[in-house]
Amino acid sequence: MFNPGSDGFMLIAAALVFIMTPGLALFYGGMVNKKNAVTMMMQNFFSAGWTTVLWVTFGFSLAFSRDIAGVIGNLHYAFLTHISPSTLFPGNDQISMLTFMVYQLMFAIITPVLMTGAFADRMRFKAFIVFLTLWLIFVYFPLAHWVWGGGFLAKWGVEDFAGGLVVHTSAGFGALAAVLYLGKRKFPKEGNHSLPLILIGTALLWFGWFGFNAGSALRVDLDTNVAFVNTMEAAAFAAVTWMFWDYWRTGRWSAIGFMAGSIAGLATVTPAAGFVTPQAAMVIGIVAAIVCHLAVDYKNRKGWDDALDVWGVHGMGGFTGIILLGLFGSSAILGSNGLIYGGGTFFLKETAAAIFVAIYAFVISYILIWITDRITPVRVPEEAEKVGLDEYEWAEEAYAL
């Protein structure tokens, strides 16, 4: 039965998730050279427009309409046909289908632009538009269907509360593919150009993440509260762990370390937020900081030019979170029992799903960026890297001289 309270909450949650995209723009924009800040931020904002166009015309239908062989949806909801204001979401009948559609749209908007931090300073905007389009069609829309839309992973019993597979693993390993295809920048980043922008961006991401995770309950009930609490706990435990680790290693406090740790904790708890106890969320936060910090260190040793550590934080965070869900999941909260509660089969399914999605996202993303390069050159010329993409492609600048 339609519940105005749940529906209203979900609209607020959708707005919270939307604010994460401008938050990401500020977060990433503050971390790149100032001569590339406009380009970085506009990649994020452009997705809000273009992804919406693709989503309402056919993307939502491919992800959430009638299942075809467990692989993809049909076009029953293309152009939002067969959805009226009174159509209820069949998953719980408490919210409208339009509310569910717009909430899921916000996930589709932010997921591909998580990758932009990895190939910062190197990709032409025209190529970004092509790659964004192909990636949504061949990576995001199918994954959303497989996990949340009744596809084969859902039928197999795989769980992902708010996007460890669909959002973070897919974007993180897709970003790694782009990094390896594009190679290193000829003019490395000169440092974070605006720490205040990074702090403000992190605040907006953390704030919006409550809509991201608690909203994934798709209604207002006790599980919504659990997901909200777990989100805060994991972010806090991870941020403090990361910052203390940096101090132990260098003897200096690091604001960037605190921010990176909070994002790692948020990404890692995302798939488990509504499925684990608050005690487990504390452990997940600590593990998130350790695993993601080690991943970033490994990336640095390998010399991969993942400019803003997308693979190390989002990719490995989401991947680790799915495995930890398989370990700590509790049917006393919601969903299946994890390994520590006797759910060995569930643990194996979650682990297998994490490995499968990571490989799929990496391989398909590499192929898609190769195809994009055949359609239009992906990498900017050396001159553009030198003068900055803002001047070269936009004839606009973040800061007047």
Side-chain angles (χ1 to χ4, degrees):
M1 181 176 179
F2 180 73
N3 185 323
S6 288
D7 196 74
F9 167 75
M10 288 305 303
L11 290 173
I12 294 171
L16 288 171
V17 179
F18 176 78
I19 202 66
M20 294 174 71
T21 296
L24 186 69
L26 292 169
F27 182 77
Y28 280 175
M31 295 182 78
V32 297
N33 294 330
K34 63 181 180 180
K35 62 185 179 183
N36 297 316
V38 172
T39 300
M40 172 57 66
M41 298 177 78
M42 278 308 303
Q43 287 175 344
N44 286 260
F45 280 104
F46 179 79
S47 180
W50 185 235
T51 300
T52 299
V53 172
L54 298 180
W55 187 251
V56 299
T57 52
F58 65 90
F60 175 71
S61 192
L62 292 179
F64 291 104
S65 67
R66 297 167 185 170
D67 176 64
I68 301 175
V71 177
I72 200 69
N74 63 16
L75 294 177
H76 183 69
Y77 294 137
F79 293 91
L80 303 186
T81 54
H82 303 106
I83 303 176
S84 73
S86 61
T87 303
L88 297 183
F89 169 57
N92 62 22
D93 287 343
Q94 291 192 30
I95 63 174
S96 77
M97 193 66 163
L98 284 175
T99 297
F100 177 74
M101 181 279 299
V102 78
Y103 179 69
Q104 288 295 333
L105 164 62
M106 303 312 173
F107 283 68
I109 287 172
I110 196 170
T111 300
V113 294
L114 291 173
M115 295 187 289
T116 60
F119 47 74
D121 311 338
R122 281 163 288 173
M123 183 178 286
R124 296 175 187 261
F125 193 77
K126 185 189 297 184
F128 168 72
I129 295 173
V130 175
F131 180 62
L132 169 66
T133 305
L134 294 174
W135 198 87
L136 285 167
I137 294 171
F138 293 102
V139 179
Y140 187 81
F141 298 161
L143 273 175
H145 182 75
W146 297 346
V147 178
W148 293 332
F152 74 94
L153 288 177
K155 293 176 181 176
W156 195 39
V158 172
E159 296 177 359
D160 180 2
F161 190 74
L165 293 172
V166 181
V167 177
H168 297 286
T169 302
S170 66
F173 282 85
L176 180 61
V179 166
L180 297 182
Y181 183 89
L182 286 168
K184 294 183 178 182
R185 288 163 291 181
K186 298 184 183 300
F187 302 93
K189 186 162 72 86
E190 299 165 359
N192 304 310
H193 94 269
S194 176
L195 184 57
L197 283 184
I198 298 171
L199 297 175
I200 294 169
T202 303
L204 290 174
L205 284 168
W206 197 331
F207 177 67
W209 226 294
F210 293 115
F212 203 87
N213 286 355
S216 290
L218 301 178
R219 58 192 179 277
V220 177
D221 62 10
L222 295 179
D223 191 58
T224 313
N225 301 341
V226 171
F228 195 108
V229 170
N230 288 348
T231 299
M232 185 66 196
E233 286 185 351
F237 273 75
V240 171
T241 300
W242 193 303
M243 190 176 72
F244 284 165
W245 190 351
D246 281 346
Y247 182 79
W248 174 71
R249 293 174 59 178
T250 67
R252 293 178 181 271
W253 301 108
S254 171
I256 294 295
F258 185 92
M259 302 304 123
S262 68
I263 301 300
L266 291 163
T268 305
V269 80
T270 286
F275 293 142
V276 301
T277 66
Q279 292 74 28
M282 302 175 197
V283 178
I284 288 173
I286 295 170
V287 173
I290 295 171
V291 170
C292 293
H293 205 307
L294 290 173
V296 171
D297 290 344
Y298 177 78
K299 179 268 299 184
N300 291 336
R301 291 197 302 271
K302 296 291 289 186
W304 297 340
D305 194 0
D306 180 352
L308 308 183
D309 297 326
V310 179
W311 171 75
V313 174
H314 292 280
M316 289 306 297
F319 183 91
T320 302
I322 286 291
I323 295 174
L324 292 175
L325 169 57
L327 181 65
F328 292 117
S330 171
S331 61
I333 305 297
L334 186 70
S336 303
N337 279 327
L339 184 62
I340 65 172
Y341 297 105
T345 300
F346 177 65
F347 175 78
L348 292 175
K349 287 181 179 180
E350 293 295 295
T351 302
I355 295 170
F356 169 75
V357 170
I359 294 173
Y360 177 84
F362 178 86
V363 172
I364 301 302
S365 298
Y366 197 94
I367 293 171
L368 294 179
I369 200 166
W370 181 87
I371 292 172
T372 301
D373 210 11
R374 308 282 82 76
I375 296 172
T376 183
V378 170
R379 181 147 186 166
V380 299
E382 184 173 340
E383 176 190 356
E385 283 197 50
K386 184 176 183 179
V387 302
L389 276 64
D390 294 356
E391 177 181 336
Y392 187 86
E393 291 210 306
W394 296 84
E396 296 174 324
E397 57 186 0
Y399 306 96
L401 295 177

